[in-house]
Amino acid sequence: MARVQAARYLGGGAEELERVEQAGVRSLESLEATVRALRIDGVPEGAGRDLEALPGLVERFNGTPGPRAVLVAPEVVEPSAEGAALVYRMVTECLTNLRKHAADAQEVRITIRSEGEGVVVTVADDGSAATATGSEGGLRMLTEWAEALRGTLTAGPSAGGWRVELVVPR
């Protein structure tokens, strides 16, 4: 804004105004991409309140060479529809990152449980943490989504690999 005001004050400033316009276009494109990423209707039909689409996701992941995914869900959990969509996206992001960044991993464990008034989802692999850095852009977007739902997402190295934990309210 200051650049536009200065350009107007000094008269002319077509180059400055063009830069401002380009920055605005980039911002709108970024915002549109974020909105598309957050849309729940992009999540498969079965990813409803009971997260029934996750076993299929794990099965497809295990149908390709590489580390094995294990889904541990000892109880039925019922996050909100938005929370279920976020859980599905988070697990998808973690499995994608595992393929890209933790070539030495043998197993990834996906654990879902109730805790207090929330649902806790942990995705932890046994690869070397040095190679399991993950996609900062994807994790950042998921963190912002979790915070918008009054939840949290943490990610980082753990004993023997990389760990991402999501907590969403029910």
Side-chain angles (χ1 to χ4, degrees):
M1 184 58 90
R3 289 179 172 182
V4 172
Q5 290 171 337
R8 230 187 311 151
Y9 177 76
L10 295 173
E15 290 177 24
E16 198 60 42
L17 292 173
E18 184 177 340
R19 277 185 250 166
V20 169
E21 179 185 15
Q22 290 171 353
V25 168
R26 283 192 307 273
S27 294
L28 285 174
E29 288 170 349
S30 176
L31 180 59
E32 287 172 356
T34 300
V35 168
R36 278 193 307 274
L38 294 178
R39 289 184 62 182
I40 292 173
D41 58 338
V43 175
E45 180 97 12
R49 293 179 58 86
D50 60 0
L51 301 175
E52 63 190 35
L54 282 178
L57 176 65
V58 169
E59 185 177 322
R60 286 190 304 280
F61 180 83
N62 286 337
T64 60
R68 310 299 344 131
V70 176
L71 178 60
V72 180
E75 58 192 284
V76 175
V77 295
E78 296 185 9
S80 66
E82 294 86 2
L86 175 55
V87 168
Y88 189 89
R89 293 271 174 96
M90 176 259 209
V91 172
T92 302
E93 178 76 11
C94 289
L95 294 177
T96 301
N97 287 345
L98 179 68
R99 290 263 192 247
K100 291 180 185 176
H101 303 290
D104 63 335
Q106 299 298 308
E107 181 179 280
V108 58
R109 183 171 290 274
I110 304 157
T111 306
I112 304 172
R113 69 182 194 288
S114 292
E115 186 173 289
E117 294 298 312
V119 174
V120 180
V121 181
T122 305
V123 179
D125 69 63
D126 61 0
S128 62
T131 61
T133 57
S135 164
E136 287 194 27
L139 291 176
R140 187 173 335 127
M141 187 265 310
L142 291 170
T143 300
E144 291 170 4
W145 190 357
E147 290 169 354
L149 295 177
R150 295 181 325 280
T152 60
L153 186 134
T154 56
S158 67
W162 188 259
R163 183 174 189 269
V164 179
E165 183 174 273
L166 170 67
V167 179
V168 291
R170 286 190 251 202

